[in-house]
Amino acid sequence: MTLPKLALISTDPAQAQADAVIIGTMPDGDGVRLAPGGEAVDTAFGGGLVEVLNTLGATGKTDEVVKVPTLGRLPAGLVVAAGLDQPGQAGTVSAEQVRRASGAAARSLAGTARAVTVLSTVDLQAAVEGTALGAYTFDGYKSGSRDTPLARVDLASPDTGTAREHRTTLKAAIAIAEAVATARDLINTPPNDLYPASFAERARALGTAAGLEVEVLDEKALRRAGYGGVLGVGGGSVRQPRVVRMRYRGPKARRKVALIGKGITFDTGGISIKPASHMEEMSSDMSGAAAIVATAVLAAKLKYPLEVVATVPMAENMPSGTAYRPGDVLTMYGGKTVEVLNTDAEGRLILADAIVRAGEDEPDYLVETSTLTGAQIVSLGRRTAGIMGSDELRDRVAAIAKATGEGGWPMPLPEELRADLDSKLADIANITGHRWGSMLAAGLFLREFVPQGLPWVHIDVAGPAFNSGSPWGYTGKGGTGVPVRTLAALLADIAENG
Ligand code: BES
Ligand code: MN
Ligand code: ZN
């Protein structure tokens, strides 16, 4: 991971020693107007900056970046004008607007050493997150010369609040951006280097460094304890499965939260093999696990007054002579039996084991996230997570996902689909045998393993976790780190409100 160094400044941003000054623009008539914070830069242009931008055809819309050479009017050689788009009804610009504009500006500055931004005067936390995540690069696998990453960004201090408050906000925002970047790094690491054992060791190293208790169950420990789902799915690979348990005990913890994430380090589909086209993207099938590991570490860094216990099942889903087959019946952790009708519906099998194990800790909330179904992408697109679970927690998480800008929508668990999971042979089958509502059927399958009455939520991030399209806002190609910010905001909310 490379993230820029971020520091607050209280001097005039227009006079800062930097290569570029980042300002915000908003649509105004046929052209733009400047967002707050841009005044000093405009003064250096003799009040003509809007005219320059309009001449260049600027619109102020989302993801627009217009660069203007300063020709010696400022110490910086470039003004980078990033579109915030129209403010909301109350006339205010949202955090997500600042995050996206900051991200687009940072992306456009790859190869530039040093920038200064005034978007931080609109929303400091959002500017930090957007700038850091937009500047994120992952190029450790290139042997040739690499682009210089944006190395340093100075942030103009907001007019309101104290310097001390600004420092606290900066620190927290950097920690959140680092957690997202950690998840992205894990997702972007290719599957020949990130497999269950190596993923578990990376989780151990990250957790231990942050002061968490970490336990790694290897295949022998999994067999002894009867993790039939994880062992069944992982049995086709020479790279044996793992379950990682990470525990953070916060100060004055009054609530215990169980976190669970799907860690399929590569999903070929197994014997029910997937088509070749785009199969390489299934190296991101551990995005849920990456988000959970990063969030558990973040909880310790931000010292949330909570107990957080992460249970992270990791396996590689491969076809081979030792692979599980359609027709097999697996005995899951805790004793329930599952008839496997499709080995490509593997995520729910490793998650079932993890959910039962997590339930034994008697948490107050159970939060699970996974790249679980292609149907999530069919129903909600590539940027909106499907959120299922018990009514209250589901709606709470959906509201938080929306507020963080990561995006998510509450989805139902229709009772009539549960009957379609009935098995003649075992307690339940892993698929319904038809394609209708299969995101919801997967949620219903998971529900079978959640202890009665425990508030729980299932966040299907099959689309949002990985960007195979063009970069946008603060999201580059590859792993996005979704839903780390939603999980962090949920933990903060539980710490505050129970
Ligand atoms: N990992 C996939 C889901 C997925 C698909 C994630 C596309 C990201 C992008 C999952 O294991 C899977 O294969 N699901 C099947 C389930 C089906 C066999 C019931 C699916 O969605 O097609
Ligand atoms: Mn699959
Ligand atoms: Zn999968």
Side-chain angles (χ1 to χ4, degrees):
M1 118 172 60
T2 19
L3 291 184
K5 259 201 176 33
L6 295 141
L8 284 156
I9 58 164
S10 46
T11 48
D12 180 2
Q15 296 311 317
Q17 292 301 323
D19 302 301
V21 186
I22 300 165
I23 62 167
T25 56
M26 299 184 281
D28 188 22
D30 284 338
V32 297
R33 63 198 163 96
L34 300 184
E39 301 82 6
V41 180
D42 189 33
T43 305
F45 271 78
L49 187 53
V50 165
E51 197 185 327
V52 173
L53 289 168
N54 286 344
T55 306
L56 289 167
T59 66
K61 291 195 181 136
T62 310
D63 268 317
E64 176 185 84
V65 173
V66 178
K67 293 184 178 178
V68 180
T70 64
L71 304 174
R73 293 182 180 93
L74 312 176
L78 266 187
V79 170
V80 176
L84 286 160
D85 214 337
Q86 217 60 262
Q89 278 183 342
T92 50
V93 173
S94 72
E96 182 64 5
Q97 286 176 286
V98 173
R99 228 179 263 117
R100 288 194 192 174
S102 298
R107 274 194 292 110
S108 83
L109 287 172
T112 304
R114 186 165 176 180
V116 57
T117 181
V118 305
L119 287 168
S120 46
T121 64
V122 183
D123 187 324
L124 176 58
Q125 164 148 7
V128 172
E129 291 175 356
T131 304
L133 295 175
Y136 170 89
T137 54
F138 185 82
D139 56 8
Y141 283 85
K142 288 206 187 278
S143 65
S145 64
R146 297 176 197 146
D147 253 3
T148 337
L150 181 56
R152 179 185 171 125
V153 182
D154 289 332
L155 306 140
S157 297
D159 298 330
T160 55
T162 65
R164 198 202 167 113
E165 284 165 356
H166 298 158
R167 279 198 299 275
T168 309
T169 303
L170 173 66
K171 232 178 117 183
I174 290 176
I176 289 171
E178 280 175 352
V180 175
T182 298
R184 288 183 180 181
D185 280 354
L186 292 166
I187 298 163
N188 292 335
T189 302
N192 55 331
D193 282 343
L194 193 102
Y195 45 91
S198 66
F199 190 5
E201 283 318 309
R202 286 180 68 164
R204 189 205 293 280
L206 288 163
T208 311
L212 306 189
E213 296 165 32
V214 182
E215 181 192 10
V216 177
L217 305 180
D218 64 10
E219 67 268 27
K220 275 195 221 97
L222 294 173
R223 256 196 302 276
R224 238 177 283 129
Y227 284 80
V230 176
L231 289 165
V233 172
S237 174
V238 291
R239 293 168 154 168
Q240 289 289 296
R242 297 288 183 269
V243 170
V244 175
R245 301 254 306 156
M246 307 172 79
R247 182 189 300 265
Y248 159 69
R249 280 179 228 262
K252 303 201 194 103
R254 297 214 320 276
R255 291 281 184 279
K256 189 193 286 189
V257 184
L259 299 178
I260 297 163
K262 171 179 172 181
I264 294 292
T265 58
F266 194 76
D267 183 11
T268 64
I271 296 297
S272 316
I273 198 161
K274 287 181 181 296
S277 168
H278 299 294
M279 200 203 269
E280 72 285 356
E281 289 177 13
M282 282 302 111
S283 63
S284 66
D285 210 17
M286 34 58 70
S287 297
I292 293 302
V293 168
T295 302
V297 169
L298 178 65
K301 293 206 170 141
L302 294 182
K303 301 197 177 65
Y304 288 135
L306 291 172
E307 182 170 347
V308 176
V309 188
T311 306
V312 192
M314 300 168 175
E316 185 175 48
N317 189 18
M318 296 286 269
S320 80
T322 58
Y324 77 139
R325 334 151 247 265
D328 282 359
V329 172
L330 303 178
T331 301
M332 315 297 278
Y333 184 86
K336 276 205 174 71
T337 57
V338 178
E339 182 182 12
V340 176
L341 294 178
N342 187 316
T343 64
D344 198 11
E346 83 297 338
R348 61 197 76 182
L349 299 172
I350 68 167
L351 290 169
D353 278 359
I355 289 170
V356 175
R357 176 63 191 87
E360 290 177 351
D361 300 325
E362 301 188 336
D364 298 296
Y365 297 101
L366 189 148
V367 178
E368 173 277 324
T369 185
S370 42
T371 48
L372 202 59
T373 65
Q376 181 278 316
I377 310 175
V378 174
S379 32
L380 292 170
R382 296 201 291 194
R383 295 187 190 176
T384 305
I387 305 181
M388 289 144 274
S390 49
D391 292 353
E392 267 179 55
L393 186 60
R394 176 200 61 211
D395 292 344
R396 184 175 178 183
V397 172
I400 289 172
K402 212 172 162 209
T404 60
E406 287 191 322
W409 206 255
M411 299 299 281
L413 295 173
E415 283 310 326
E416 79 275 10
L417 282 178
R418 171 60 190 83
D420 301 338
L421 289 168
D422 283 345
S423 161
K424 281 204 193 76
L425 199 55
D427 296 338
I428 192 169
N430 76 331
I431 59 165
T432 58
H434 59 73
R435 28 189 225 103
W436 317 121
S438 64
M439 165 172 60
L440 318 176
L444 282 160
F445 180 90
L446 296 178
R447 189 181 70 179
E448 291 299 306
F449 299 87
V450 178
Q452 277 292 323
L454 173 61
W456 70 287
V457 65
H458 158 54
I459 311 171
D460 192 336
V461 288
F466 191 80
N467 180 23
S468 45
S470 308
W472 56 284
Y474 48 91
T475 304
K477 273 187 166 300
T480 64
V482 172
V484 167
R485 290 189 306 108
T486 296
L487 296 171
L490 173 64
L491 292 182
D493 191 44
I494 294 173
E496 193 169 320
N497 302 309

